Amino acid sequence: MMLYFFDPIYMMLAMVGYLVMLLLASTIAPKVASRVSGKFSLFTSMVLLAAMILSISAAIIYLILAYSGVYISFYGLIIFLLAINLLMYLFSPYIINLSYGAERDERLQMVVNSVARRLNMRPPKAVIVRAPPNAFAYGNFLTGKYVAVSESLMRMLSQEELEAVIGHELGHHKHKDNAVMLLFGLLPSVIFYLGYALIHSSFRDDRRGAQLAIIGIAAVLISFIVQILVLAFSRLREYYADFEGVRATNKDAMQRSLAKIHLFYHRYPDYLAPIQDSKFRTLFIYAFTNAVAEPITRADIEALKNMKISPIQEFLSTHPPLPKRLRFIESIRVF
């Protein structure tokens, strides 16, 4: 796959695709989001968006395979992408444990057990990792499920705030987000590489070259649109996990924990690099931006809730921007 990066066709398609993403993120997407937001519940929004992603992806893959002729390399490409992602899913827990020096911790395990009982679920294994303030959930049916919290984050948060973070991470396990996002994340990749393969095939087909090229270019552009939808779906899953953090504790604890993490990275931006460069950043509770245990006031939280955000930054990210997460938490009604 690395050879694609030296292919001028690949480079051109990637550049055009990212331009399409930036255009949509800065113009059309915010307008659509503003009209749709508030009209549906979180769960309904996720169902509708998931149906849209699956229907668009299924339709374009069907059209490629049905109307461009059967190329055995297409099926080989899909199998290859599925195999690579499946292997990553299976082996990533081992890689994470080695990369972050994960170690079992009895004190953290007691917190995880307590929060899991409140959420009526089986507790995963609790591990401490060496990293800037953050937490994440990972694992699979081979390794079991894990909740990881960095040592620095444990020092930063109060007991109640730590429980809120654990509730968020348990929410990811409860909603099976690792497997769900693996499936949805595959779709734009499959569509992109099918389109890319079609464009290459067009140079070898004198009779239908133009038709194959048009279908291929359309597929590439659609793959980036699907990618934006997948990113939006990922943001909804984060809201869903925040909801579990609130259920496990309360709104104030969930808001304070997120605000503390954000303010840490705002004050110490050098610690952002390990997060931004990590291949596992989509797992983190805070994915964009030694612990300082400063108290967070309601005034701090109110200021963060009203902080201006860039539409491009929001729509090209896997996590919702902090102001929207804080406002969403404020709107939650827990029964």
Side-chain angles (χ1 to χ4, degrees):
M1 298 292 283
M2 289 300 294
L3 293 176
Y4 291 140
F5 292 103
F6 300 99
D7 187 334
I9 296 176
Y10 178 93
M11 296 293 291
M12 181 190 69
L13 292 174
M15 289 176 62
V16 171
Y18 280 113
L19 285 174
V20 169
M21 287 182 70
L22 288 172
L23 177 65
L24 290 173
S26 60
T27 56
I28 300 173
K31 294 178 182 178
V32 172
S34 64
R35 292 179 181 177
V36 172
S37 61
K39 295 185 182 297
F40 303 104
S41 68
L42 175 62
F43 182 79
T44 303
S45 298
M46 281 192 293
V47 170
L48 292 175
L49 188 54
M52 185 185 301
I53 294 169
L54 291 173
S55 59
I56 292 174
S57 300
I60 192 64
I61 292 173
Y62 172 79
L63 289 173
I64 290 173
L65 298 179
Y67 294 102
S68 60
V70 178
Y71 289 84
I72 190 65
S73 60
F74 288 0
Y75 295 103
L77 180 62
I78 293 175
I79 293 171
F80 177 76
L81 289 172
L82 289 172
I84 288 295
N85 281 272
L86 178 60
L87 288 173
M88 187 62 185
Y89 173 71
L90 293 176
F91 287 102
S92 60
Y94 300 106
I95 298 172
I96 290 172
N97 287 339
L98 288 173
S99 300
Y100 291 96
E103 295 180 357
R104 297 293 298 272
D105 185 88
E106 286 304 316
R107 178 197 159 208
L108 181 61
Q109 187 67 61
M110 290 175 63
V111 178
V112 170
N113 293 348
S114 174
V115 176
R117 282 194 296 271
R118 294 177 217 168
L119 297 178
N120 297 315
M121 58 182 293
R122 181 178 298 177
K125 296 174 238 182
V127 294
I128 295 286
V129 294
R130 296 189 297 270
N134 231 316
F136 51 94
Y138 64 103
N140 55 47
F141 62 93
L142 289 179
T143 63
K145 297 176 181 178
Y146 291 87
V147 165
V149 181
S150 66
E151 292 177 307
S152 52
L153 185 62
M154 287 192 66
R155 292 195 300 270
M156 176 189 297
L157 301 180
S158 69
Q159 177 73 16
E160 191 176 48
E161 291 160 359
L162 177 61
E163 290 174 356
V165 167
I166 297 298
H168 172 100
E169 300 307 334
L170 291 179
H172 282 306
H173 281 311
K174 184 176 182 179
H175 307 145
K176 299 179 172 54
D177 283 336
N178 284 341
V180 169
M181 292 314 302
L182 173 69
L183 169 64
F184 280 87
L186 268 173
L187 297 174
S189 296
V190 168
I191 295 171
F192 176 88
Y193 284 110
L194 284 177
Y196 170 75
L198 265 184
I199 293 170
H200 263 285
S201 299
S202 70
F203 297 121
R204 301 191 300 270
D205 193 323
D206 295 332
R207 185 171 60 88
R208 298 194 306 143
Q211 177 189 0
L212 294 177
I214 291 171
I215 297 175
I217 292 171
V220 167
L221 295 179
I222 290 173
S223 74
F224 281 88
I225 295 173
V226 173
Q227 179 64 44
I228 289 180
L229 296 176
V230 170
L231 291 173
F233 187 66
S234 175
R235 291 193 293 274
L236 291 179
R237 306 299 290 186
E238 288 299 320
Y239 286 129
Y240 207 17
D242 283 343
F243 172 75
E244 298 295 343
V246 171
R247 283 190 61 220
T249 53
N250 54 67
K251 298 179 186 180
D252 191 51
M254 191 73 246
Q255 287 180 324
R256 286 200 316 269
S257 64
L258 292 174
K260 278 189 176 181
I261 298 171
H262 172 81
L263 290 176
F264 173 87
Y265 288 108
H266 178 72
R267 291 164 183 162
Y268 305 98
D270 290 346
Y271 286 91
L272 274 172
I275 293 177
Q276 293 172 328
D277 298 338
S278 174
K279 292 180 174 61
F280 303 104
R281 60 185 176 273
T282 57
L283 299 175
F284 300 150
I285 190 171
Y286 187 87
F288 308 114
T289 47
N290 297 283
V292 180
E294 292 189 39
I296 299 295
T297 66
R298 285 308 307 178
D300 293 324
I301 292 175
E302 290 301 321
L304 290 171
K305 281 163 60 177
N306 296 318
M307 185 174 61
K308 298 294 183 183
I309 55 173
S310 163
I312 292 179
Q313 184 183 35
E314 176 181 1
F315 281 90
L316 298 184
S317 63
T318 57
H319 287 53
L322 182 69
K324 286 195 172 183
R325 289 179 78 172
L326 295 177
R327 291 197 293 269
F328 167 76
I329 292 168
E330 194 70 44
S331 70
I332 291 175
R333 297 176 62 189
V334 181
F335 298 97

